[in-house]
Amino acid sequence: MSRRVLVLAHTGREDSLKAAWEACALLHASGIVPVMQESELADMERFFGHLAQPVEVLHDHVQLPDVELVMVLGGDGTILRAAELVREVDVPLLGVNLGHVGFLAESERADLAQTVEWIASREYTVEERMTIDVQVWVRGQKIWHTWALNEAAIEKANRERMLEVVTEVDERPLTSFGCDGIVLATPTGSTAYGFSAGGPVVWPEVEALVIVPISAHALFAKPLVVSPRSRLAVEVLGRTDAQGVLWCDGRRSVDLPPGARVEVTKSATPVRLARTHQTPFSARLVRKFELPIHGWRGPVPKADAIHTGPIPIVRTPRPMPPLQVPQSDQPGDDNDPTTAK
């Protein structure tokens, strides 16, 4: 049975088109059938002409569950678009960064040929990233239901009006304040909008939800890290007529009138990301953000590798008993001849 890999690219950019063309050629040379969406394949053929290698069309020649892997060529936005496509069928994503930071991407454009070799030899692992379930309620009616891999971001709709909100954790109110917005993020999203708003960086394997206020006018409006089993909610207060807007992963949005309620919980359906490098997350942070690490000495030697001699035992000397003077040696003794009359 033939192996198939879906190639997704931002075909509005020339560098993405060239990377997609090269990826299809490399996959075909490795014995893997490249698959593309019809619109993206048409864009590539308009740019390059008829392709020498055969490419199957998604939903025409092949269905999504028959694809082994999705190779995403672009930045984090392209990967988020791909996640919308494959989340319900458990097909893993492998990102090749063509953008700036590309935190979700696994490899860079220069490593494209090596990445295809890893795919061909199945030298990759798959990890699951937590997603969130997002619901919007207005006057007791659910008006919107979606999900997010990175975050659900509540923002003020008008630049000149501050948004008044009250936060809630586990069905108990926490605090209210005026703000420019508030981010409800996953660990994956902690390095995206949440990080830009001053939130903490959370390691991907940590199961948690993050609340990050944006420019809050309040004393207690700090970023919070809560249990993934918690139910988070943010209500847009009616103190003013300021409107809000909810964005999920920066791709899907809905308006929030005064009185709207946004509820966020951990979703039961994760997104699967393919990994070709077994590098620690700290190393990814250093590489993606170009963090300075000059002067680092590394871990100290392990205790069991250090050989030392026996530890000397210091004994405390026993105290000497007080000197006892014999009775016969006492002055004025009647038996002492020197004192006899």
Side-chain angles (χ1 to χ4, degrees), residues 6-296:
L6 175 62
V7 178
L8 289 179
H10 188 329
T11 54
R13 296 169 48 183
E14 182 177 340
D15 58 341
S16 296
L17 285 169
K18 291 179 178 179
W21 181 88
E22 184 179 345
C24 289
L26 290 168
L27 288 168
H28 179 72
S30 301
I32 300 174
V33 178
V35 180
M36 294 191 72
Q37 292 182 310
E38 184 176 9
S39 60
E40 294 184 358
L41 179 59
D43 290 340
M44 195 162 65
E45 288 181 335
R46 277 193 297 269
F47 190 85
F48 293 105
H50 181 70
L51 302 182
Q53 64 277 359
V55 177
E56 294 187 347
V57 178
L58 185 66
H59 302 312
D60 187 1
H61 304 132
V62 61
Q63 299 302 312
L64 197 54
D66 300 323
V67 172
E68 175 185 328
L69 187 75
V70 177
M71 194 173 185
V72 186
L73 308 173
D76 285 345
T78 309
I79 295 177
L80 291 172
R81 177 169 64 90
E84 294 177 344
L85 180 65
V86 304
R87 178 172 175 258
E88 298 298 332
V89 292
D90 289 337
V91 177
L93 304 173
L94 194 154
V96 178
N97 182 38
L98 304 182
H100 298 288
V101 178
F103 214 95
L104 292 173
E106 178 63 11
S107 60
E108 301 298 322
R109 173 67 175 88
D111 304 324
L112 184 58
Q114 178 64 70
T115 302
V116 172
E117 289 183 15
W118 284 325
I119 294 173
S121 58
R122 291 189 172 92
E123 294 182 37
Y124 63 86
T125 58
V126 178
E127 66 182 34
E128 293 186 344
R129 292 294 185 91
M130 185 181 81
T131 62
I132 52 176
D133 185 86
V134 184
Q135 300 181 39
V136 178
W137 298 77
V138 176
R139 299 183 184 89
Q141 299 293 321
K142 184 166 66 174
I143 65 168
W144 206 53
H145 189 185
T146 188
W147 67 280
L149 171 60
N150 271 352
E151 76 281 308
I154 300 166
E155 304 173 358
K156 62 180 183 180
N158 301 315
R159 181 179 179 86
E160 67 275 7
R161 301 299 297 274
M162 188 168 55
L163 198 64
E164 296 281 344
V165 300
V166 58
T167 58
E168 175 188 304
V169 177
D170 294 328
E171 301 181 352
R172 300 296 299 173
L174 189 60
T175 185
S176 62
F177 46 79
C179 60
D180 286 351
I182 187 167
V183 178
L184 308 174
T186 67
T188 300
S190 71
T191 53
Y193 199 166
F195 176 79
S196 300
V201 172
V202 182
W203 263 234
E205 60 267 25
V206 175
E207 291 281 308
L209 295 171
V210 181
I211 307 172
V212 185
I214 304 173
S215 301
H217 292 242
L219 180 62
F220 185 79
K222 301 297 183 182
L224 302 175
V225 180
V226 302
S227 167
R229 295 179 296 275
S230 292
R231 177 180 293 272
L232 310 183
V234 177
E235 294 181 357
V236 179
L237 299 178
R239 298 172 182 169
T240 66
D241 58 355
Q243 303 279 325
V245 59
L246 171 66
W247 283 94
C248 289
D249 286 342
R251 294 186 51 80
R252 304 175 300 280
S253 66
V254 65
D255 292 333
L256 300 176
R261 175 181 173 88
V262 179
E263 294 183 351
V264 169
T265 56
K266 175 185 175 181
S267 173
T269 306
V271 167
R272 307 176 74 207
L273 297 182
R275 294 296 185 203
T276 57
H277 304 84
Q278 299 301 315
T279 54
F281 182 69
S282 54
R284 296 176 63 84
L285 282 176
V286 170
R287 185 174 74 252
K288 296 293 185 180
F289 290 146
E290 298 180 356
L291 302 178
I293 56 174
H294 302 294
W296 181 65

